[in-house]
Amino acid sequence: MDKLNRALTIAGSDTSGGAGMQADLKTFEELGVYGMTALTCIVTMTPADWAHNVHPIGLDVVEEQLHTILDGIGVNAMKTGMLGSAALVELVANTIDKYKLQNVVIDPVMVCKGSTSVMVPEAAEAIKELLVKRCDIITPNTVEAAYLTGMAKVETIDEIKEAAKIIYDMGAKNVVIKGGERMDGAYAVDVFYDGKNFKEMAIKKLAEAYNHGAGCTYSAAITAGLANGLTMEAAVAQAKDFITAALKHSFVLNSFSGATNHTAYKKYGKE
Ligand code: PXL
């Protein structure tokens, strides 16, 4: 009998399908992992201007989903996505403790694409206080890294490394900071730090890539690798290859958005 390893995502639903739990499930599937969801909110988009509207799911309903999955089935790894409130962050922290969850991946979703301000400040503060020290790895972008560390800016490689060190010292066991397209120059560089060594992962910025859902996909790929028993370093390296392929083969959805291609890594392999 083919028994798949299991992963949980505690995340929102992106109705447009590219980010959130849709990205997580597609990524889990591609990497051979059985995915389960505890849905935190439903995000819809207004067709005329693609404004995002967040519809929260009641805390009791999130709790019931976690009860179903963790008391009823069990998981090999888990990740978080959009949490949206301090109460929800607290529930996630308590859940990690209560079930002694392993392979915990925190994607500290705080900002929307292109924005530099934090969406829900008290939720972001709760992530900083409660989730950084409970995770096996945290995957902030540069804006989220600046928020977590209190640094004025995180833009250069040296600043990214400094931020990674600070976040590690706050209790995260591993840190990957996504330099991404926000960085100056021709390369998007991610930095992985495990408390001992820095590993820089650079790819040439792609001229025409649609990156909606890229952060969710990346952290989901790390989660899937951990669920399958990879070491942290191997899971991060595989995730980098997965998201690079997904970006290279990304495609347009409409005049506002385009999605990463979750099928690309399995179809075309590492390029
Ligand atoms: O990419 C951030 C993100 C995460 N989760 C959900 C989203 C989005 C962005 O739209 O909708 C549910």
Side-chain angles (χ1 to χ4, degrees):
M1 212 163 46
D2 198 7
K3 190 163 179 235
L4 299 182
N5 290 311
R6 298 170 273 207
L8 157 68
T9 178
I10 308 173
S13 164
D14 167 13
T15 301
S16 74
M21 70 96 164
Q22 285 83 354
D24 296 339
L25 283 184
K26 291 171 190 181
T27 303
F28 292 166
E29 186 78 8
E30 290 292 310
L31 292 172
V33 166
Y34 181 79
M36 292 176 276
T37 58
L39 208 60
T40 58
C41 63
I42 298 175
V43 180
T44 59
M45 293 82 190
T46 309
D49 59 2
W50 220 239
H52 287 39
N53 317 297
V54 180
H55 308 275
I57 308 269
L59 198 64
D60 55 332
V61 182
V62 180
E63 207 166 355
E64 214 170 302
Q65 296 173 80
L66 292 169
H67 182 47
T68 302
I69 294 165
L70 298 171
D71 287 311
I73 299 172
V75 297
N76 302 100
M78 63 150 281
K79 68 160 294 223
T80 60
M82 193 182 278
L83 295 176
S85 75
L88 201 39
V89 174
E90 239 169 78
L91 172 63
V92 171
N94 292 338
T95 301
I96 293 168
D97 292 351
K98 179 176 171 191
Y99 295 95
K100 300 188 170 51
L101 295 176
Q102 310 280 313
N103 297 322
V104 173
V105 179
I106 301 295
D107 184 2
V109 176
M110 294 178 186
V111 292
C112 260
K113 275 265 133 52
S115 161
T116 52
S117 64
V118 164
M119 282 184 293
V120 186
E122 91 267 7
E125 194 54 32
I127 290 173
K128 184 170 157 179
E129 293 306 317
L130 300 176
L131 294 185
V132 171
K133 60 183 170 223
R134 286 182 167 82
C135 70
D136 291 288
I137 187 164
I138 190 163
T139 64
N141 60 33
T142 50
V143 175
E144 291 155 350
Y147 181 87
L148 290 170
T149 57
M151 288 169 65
K153 67 181 184 72
V154 178
E155 286 168 8
T156 65
I157 294 281
D158 285 346
E159 287 162 355
I160 286 177
K161 286 183 175 171
E162 186 187 339
K165 236 172 180 267
I166 294 172
I167 296 168
Y168 176 85
D169 288 340
M170 289 160 67
K173 294 186 191 72
N174 295 272
V175 183
V176 62
I177 299 183
K178 303 167 290 189
E181 61 171 11
R182 288 187 175 95
M183 295 185 77
D184 284 343
Y187 286 85
V189 185
D190 298 341
V191 173
F192 172 63
Y193 182 59
D194 61 5
K196 294 186 217 61
N197 300 303
F198 290 104
K199 184 176 163 195
E200 290 179 26
M201 296 171 288
I203 59 161
K204 222 173 177 23
K205 281 188 195 168
L206 302 162
E208 230 192 293
Y210 299 97
N211 60 7
H212 174 60
C216 305
T217 300
Y218 194 8
S219 56
I222 297 173
T223 310
L226 295 175
N228 277 336
L230 296 186
T231 63
M232 183 60 77
E233 192 169 354
V236 170
Q238 175 177 258
K240 183 67 185 171
D241 292 340
F242 190 96
I243 189 60
T244 301
L247 283 164
K248 273 188 182 156
H249 296 275
S250 62
F251 57 101
V252 68
L253 290 174
N254 60 20
S255 60
F256 303 104
S257 185
T260 70
N261 183 343
H262 299 98
T263 68
Y265 177 72
K266 207 163 151 191
K267 231 189 240 169
Y268 307 112
K270 183 180 171 180
E271 294 173 77

